[in-house]
Amino acid sequence: DWGALHLEQDLAAHPGVAAAGYSCFALAMTIGRLSGTTLLERLGQTPILVTGGATAAAGMLLGALAPTVWLALLGFAVTGLGLANIFPVAIERAGALAGPDGVATASTLGYGGMLLGPPAIGFMAEWFTLPIALTSVAVLAGLAAVIGCTTRHR
């Protein structure tokens, strides 16, 4: 959500190009979700979580710290691909481990993060800079990869 502002203010993108930041992210996430079932069948849950988290972390670092608009747009697209299947797999794993209560807890945390994430990034941008605040998404995506790796045998 903050990508357009980052592109316009930090990288001097035209407002129309800046608006494309979210579009790149959303389109890539859609493509990732549509191919998710095939990837899960071929690779399994753990590789999807670990690779997705690592890909999203790298993409968000590129999106947040890129010196040019086009590299930032590429970073947002890579982030969308990486994040595309993390949430559905996490919900499925929570259901397998803890049943309906696990699904409810994971859903609450996931949707809570979507609601609280943008304001948290805004506060961090006020304290630091928007590019630094956006790197928090990369840190959380990397954490998802680590969690996916460490919980693979449970």
Side-chain angles (χ1 to χ4, degrees):
D1 294 344
W2 286 97
L5 186 64
H6 167 58
L7 290 167
E8 187 175 359
Q9 289 184 353
D10 298 323
L11 298 176
H14 182 274
V17 174
Y22 183 76
S23 298
C24 288
F25 170 80
L27 179 62
M29 181 172 268
T30 300
I31 291 167
R33 285 267 173 104
L34 291 174
S35 61
T37 301
T38 302
L39 290 172
L40 281 166
E41 289 172 353
R42 288 186 183 169
L43 303 174
Q45 289 183 344
T46 298
I48 293 296
L49 287 174
V50 174
T51 305
T55 300
M60 199 63 225
L61 284 175
L62 179 60
L65 304 175
T68 67
V69 171
W70 302 110
L71 281 175
L73 289 172
L74 175 64
F76 293 146
V78 170
T79 302
L81 282 174
L83 292 178
N85 293 298
I86 290 178
F87 186 69
V89 171
I91 296 297
E92 195 282 328
R93 271 196 175 181
L97 291 172
D101 289 339
V103 171
T105 300
S107 295
T108 300
L109 291 172
Y111 287 115
M114 287 192 318
L115 290 173
L116 297 175
I121 290 172
F123 284 122
M124 287 186 280
E126 285 289 320
W127 296 328
F128 307 108
T129 65
L130 184 53
I132 290 173
L134 289 173
T135 63
S136 67
V137 176
V139 170
L140 293 173
L143 181 62
V146 170
I147 290 170
C149 189
T150 59
T151 62
R152 69 181 176 267
H153 297 299
R154 292 184 183 186

